[in-house]
Amino acid sequence: MERETVIVIDFGGQYNQLVARRVRECNVYCEIYSYKTGLEQIKAMNPKGIILTGGPNSCYEENSPTYQRELFELGIPVLGLCYGAQLMMHVLGGKVITPEVGEYGKTAVTLDTSSVLFEGLPEKEICWMSHFDRISELAPGFSTVAHTADCPIAAAEDAGKKLYAIQFHPEVLHTEHGKEMLYNFVRNVCGCSGTWRMDSFVENSIAAIREKVGDGKVLCALSGGVDSSVAAVLLSKAVGSQLTCVFVDHGLLRKNEGDEVEAVFGEKGAYDLNFIRVNAQERFYSKLAGVTEPERKRKIIGEEFIRVFEEEAKKIGAVDFLVQGTIYPDVVESGLGGESAVIKSHHNVGGLPDYVDFKEIIEPLRDLFKDEVRKAGLELGLPEHLVFRQPFPGPGLGIRIIGEVTAEKVRIVQDADAIYREEIVAAGLDKTIGQYFAALTNMRSVGVMGDERTYDYAVALRAVNTVDFMTAEAAQIPFDVLQKVMSRVINEVKGVNRVFYDLTSKPPGTIEFE
């Protein structure tokens, strides 16, 4: 059966991934594409619906991102959000202006609940606004279905043509019933049946992998993190002994993590994997010597990973496929899935060298968000302690160390991070915080320890609450817990005399500290 798909056309909005994630919560598969994607390509995808994202531009300016009128004449339901709503009006003959007053943050909106978009919702709603332009005149055929005190056209529709424009952002949690609005669009307007579920994903993925691999040999890049672990077990169930898992200890893992990964996946572990551990710490430290720029570090680590895998593949014999634990945010944030700026690249996507000595790369989790990966892991029978392990980036501590990476800096951040995680667990906070870790800043400052002056590093503690890892806010950790972590780090970790707590949200920051 062909998979039902709703596509998101990205105009540079900061919430593009969040839109796709919310659609998937309605059990409907969703992918993100740039506004530069051609109309014929979109038609070939045969989407059940199209959503246009927000963006930072004014749609009436000459060089602003746009789309041809024919998009709205395909007979496919279209929902425009913020910039997408303004663009829909502008292209179809309405008018968009820059008023004296914009709208930002939580805003009271009055809804016309006779609209299919707002069916079953209260007439008064708190929604998240973020716009300086607004629609001043509707395109022919449209009627207003929502307004605010400052925005006479907060939503509009041409129900006959299944075209809908919403000025606010239903995809963010600040909009009280935003998920229900998107549900109404994808399920009731687009007619999606909602069959995108993890049990069918796992079953279909195993069958597809078996067909693709045939009798070929597969090499899996196993880091021991959630993504690569789920990918490894998925491949194991699909091709069994044709799979070899190579675990590269690049010296940038958390404290004792190499031994812990080997204990789970090695000969004495619970999984029937051909497990090989490669200790390459000095090799990676040598390659990273003198390198300070984060993106360059990511690419060096990524390329060295591939070189190690190639060497192991030659020892094993002919290897046809390389498996990686790439997930959907990796794809989008590496600039491959939408229009928004490249946020990162690493060994899963953006750091691959030009020449890779494998027939093909298999990325079985490429379509999934992080929480979907966890669901797939549970569906595969992985234990909860592994499935809900703290997220860890592919380049490891290489990007949690600001500036040059050295063995001494790795020791510092490993020890500080171990203390931090230990105290978070002791305080019973580990199940309520989305992600937490310690990072090493490149700042050194004067301190006093005993009767001596010190000139040592500052450690930054990071902890965020997040539903989907697309947006995040700093976790409110009790001050006494932070004080205890600070005291232990300064007393137990040689080379540290200050501890900071990072309060930055995402956006504007990233969850990782680099």
Side-chain angles (χ1 to χ4, degrees), residues 166-340:
I166 298 179
Q167 182 59 72
F168 51 86
H169 290 274
E171 69 273 21
V172 302
L173 294 177
H174 303 299
T175 297
E176 289 178 342
H177 294 92
K179 182 179 176 181
E180 287 86 344
M181 296 175 193
L182 290 172
Y183 182 97
N184 284 340
F185 177 70
V186 300
R187 300 290 289 270
N188 299 335
V189 176
C190 301
C192 294
S193 55
T195 56
W196 168 247
R197 302 178 191 276
M198 278 306 104
D199 53 357
S200 57
F201 170 83
V202 168
E203 182 181 337
N204 294 337
S205 295
I206 290 173
I209 291 166
R210 281 179 183 151
E211 182 177 351
K212 176 188 283 285
V213 171
D215 59 0
K217 286 190 176 181
V218 184
L219 183 63
C220 179
L222 178 61
S223 71
V226 176
D227 302 335
S228 70
S229 296
V230 173
V233 176
L234 188 62
L235 264 292
S236 177
K237 288 185 179 293
V239 300
S241 60
Q242 295 166 242
L243 172 68
T244 297
C245 289
V246 175
F247 167 56
V248 177
D249 188 341
H250 50 23
L252 303 170
L253 300 171
R254 289 169 286 206
K255 190 171 184 177
N256 301 324
E257 194 160 38
D259 294 338
E260 292 171 1
V261 170
E262 186 170 3
V264 172
F265 291 103
E267 288 185 10
K268 298 179 180 179
Y271 302 101
D272 184 22
L273 303 177
N274 297 315
F275 179 85
I276 297 172
R277 178 175 178 175
V278 183
N279 292 312
Q281 294 92 333
E282 294 306 319
R283 177 171 173 171
F284 278 83
Y285 294 161
S286 175
K287 290 284 185 179
L288 290 167
V291 179
T292 59
E293 202 273 318
E295 200 66 8
R296 182 69 188 134
K297 287 193 287 187
R298 283 181 177 270
K299 289 181 177 179
I300 288 172
I301 295 167
E303 182 160 340
E304 203 60 22
F305 254 96
I306 297 299
R307 299 283 79 85
V308 173
F309 286 130
E310 285 179 341
E311 292 167 14
E312 292 305 315
K314 288 171 184 174
K315 295 176 187 176
I316 296 163
V319 174
D320 303 291
F321 300 92
L322 171 66
V323 178
Q324 293 189 147
T326 309
I327 65 174
Y328 200 53
D330 297 332
V331 176
V332 177
E333 292 189 352
S334 297
L336 304 178
E339 184 55 30
S340 300

Side-chain angles (χ1 to χ4, degrees), residues 322-475:
L322 171 66
V323 178
Q324 293 189 147
T326 309
I327 65 174
Y328 200 53
D330 297 332
V331 176
V332 177
E333 292 189 352
S334 297
L336 304 178
E339 184 55 30
S340 300
V342 174
I343 299 171
K344 66 183 179 183
S345 66
H346 57 58
H347 73 272
N348 280 343
V349 179
L352 290 176
D354 294 333
Y355 174 73
V356 182
D357 192 18
F358 307 99
K359 181 195 296 183
E360 191 173 346
I361 291 175
I362 297 176
E363 297 170 313
L365 309 179
R366 185 182 177 91
D367 291 341
L368 303 186
F369 286 93
K370 176 68 76 173
D371 53 331
E372 293 173 321
V373 173
R374 296 189 195 281
K375 291 176 183 176
L378 294 174
E379 190 67 32
L380 285 162
L382 271 71
E384 286 197 10
H385 75 269
L386 183 60
V387 171
F388 291 100
R389 189 176 191 175
Q390 275 291 297
F392 194 60
L397 299 180
I399 60 167
R400 290 183 181 175
I401 295 171
I402 306 303
E404 183 182 13
V405 175
T406 66
E408 175 65 7
K409 287 183 177 180
V410 170
R411 177 198 60 80
I412 290 173
V413 75
Q414 280 180 335
D415 289 346
D417 182 70
I419 290 170
Y420 184 33
R421 287 187 289 123
E422 185 179 311
E423 291 300 332
I424 289 293
V425 172
L429 300 172
D430 54 308
K431 297 293 191 298
T432 62
I433 300 174
Q435 186 172 348
Y436 53 93
F437 59 88
L440 184 62
T441 74
N442 203 28
M443 187 191 90
R444 299 182 74 183
S445 62
V446 173
V448 178
M449 300 181 77
D451 295 325
E452 297 182 1
R453 288 168 66 86
T454 60
Y455 187 65
D456 288 330
Y457 286 104
V459 162
L461 306 178
R462 183 77 163 134
V464 297
N465 287 324
T466 178
V467 174
D468 44 40
F469 292 84
M470 298 300 99
T471 60
E473 294 182 347

